[in-house]
Amino acid sequence: ALVRMRHPTWGVVPPASFIPGDGDPQLRALSEFVVGRAMADWAAFVRGGSPIEMTIHLPMSVLEDTDFIDRMCLQLPIGFAPARLTVEISSVDVGRNPELARRAAKQLETYNVGISIDDVAAEASWADIDDFPIAELQVDRSFVLGCANDQYKRAVCSMILKIAERLSLGQGFLFAKPLEMHKFARTMLRRRSVPAK
């Protein structure tokens, strides 16, 4: 689910313009809203016979609350087994408190929900933590593009590949950047109606 806001004068406002900072008390309320919206959209796909994989980006601050994780996972659609939920967190947040991230990942794992770590090139001090169930690693394409000609980028990508190989991981968007539910459904239906060559 993609959360977008429309201002009467400015039009569509990107999430970076309205997402509250880590210490803002509104961040929890926004996170609850995003989870509720994502689960409702996901349930609609499951009911429609099109189980999909869903990723929700959440700040580490809300995952400190074990009750938040339980409430989120209790909203999982019934019959979601063929689909998969992944919670995406920032590598920088993981680096600030790797043990908390590990605990949240273990709790999510009990619900069969994976953890995806975003922007791995920015921070990877957590990479040697044992028993840290990570489902995906994400690398900003700015580190991958041009890495053949840039010694620093090559070193960063080499480090990330070693982490990924050790954990048997990888991730990248396959079809498109995040879309609203109806646009995603339209895109997927169009792809399914094109005959295979």
Side-chain angles (χ1 to χ4, degrees):
L2 175 64
V3 176
R4 296 185 340 166
M5 295 185 79
R6 184 175 298 277
H7 187 275
T9 307
W10 303 328
V12 174
V13 180
S17 299
F18 65 84
I19 293 179
D22 239 2
D24 192 313
Q26 296 302 316
L27 186 59
R28 181 172 298 274
L30 179 62
S31 298
E32 296 270 3
F33 169 79
V34 168
V35 166
R37 175 68 183 269
M39 293 301 184
D41 288 352
W42 198 21
F45 280 109
V46 170
R47 282 192 308 273
S50 301
I52 60 168
E53 293 184 7
M54 174 76 72
T55 300
I56 303 173
H57 189 106
L58 291 172
M60 200 66 221
S61 59
V62 301
L63 295 177
E64 293 174 7
D65 180 0
T66 57
D67 291 339
F68 179 92
I69 294 174
D70 288 337
R71 284 192 310 276
M72 176 181 71
C73 292
L74 289 173
Q75 294 180 56
L76 290 167
I78 294 169
F80 84 107
R84 185 170 135 227
L85 175 65
T86 304
V87 171
E88 179 181 310
I89 56 178
S90 162
S91 181
V92 174
D93 284 348
V94 175
R96 285 184 192 132
N97 194 337
E99 192 50 44
L100 172 63
R102 182 190 158 283
R103 184 193 50 73
K106 296 290 281 180
Q107 184 181 0
L108 288 164
E109 186 181 43
T110 64
Y111 290 102
N112 201 25
V113 174
I115 278 275
S116 174
I117 300 184
D118 186 21
D119 201 13
V120 173
E123 168 67 56
S125 62
W126 46 263
D128 292 327
I129 296 174
D130 290 327
D131 197 26
F132 192 168
I134 301 168
E136 297 173 347
L137 295 176
Q138 297 183 43
V139 182
D140 191 283
R141 65 186 296 171
S142 66
F143 280 96
V144 178
L145 291 175
C147 74
N149 303 318
D150 185 312
Q151 186 176 1
Y152 172 72
K153 287 182 177 183
R154 243 189 344 269
V156 169
C157 288
S158 177
M159 174 204 61
I160 293 167
L161 284 172
K162 285 178 184 164
I163 295 168
E165 286 170 7
R166 186 169 66 81
L167 300 172
S168 303
L169 304 173
Q171 193 272 336
F173 60 77
L174 181 60
F175 299 110
K177 291 183 178 180
L179 302 168
E180 292 176 334
M181 181 183 155
H182 69 279
K183 288 182 181 176
F184 175 78
R186 200 169 46 233
T187 301
M188 293 309 295
L189 288 174
R190 192 175 329 130
R191 288 183 190 275
R192 288 182 180 171
S193 65
V194 175
K197 293 181 182 179

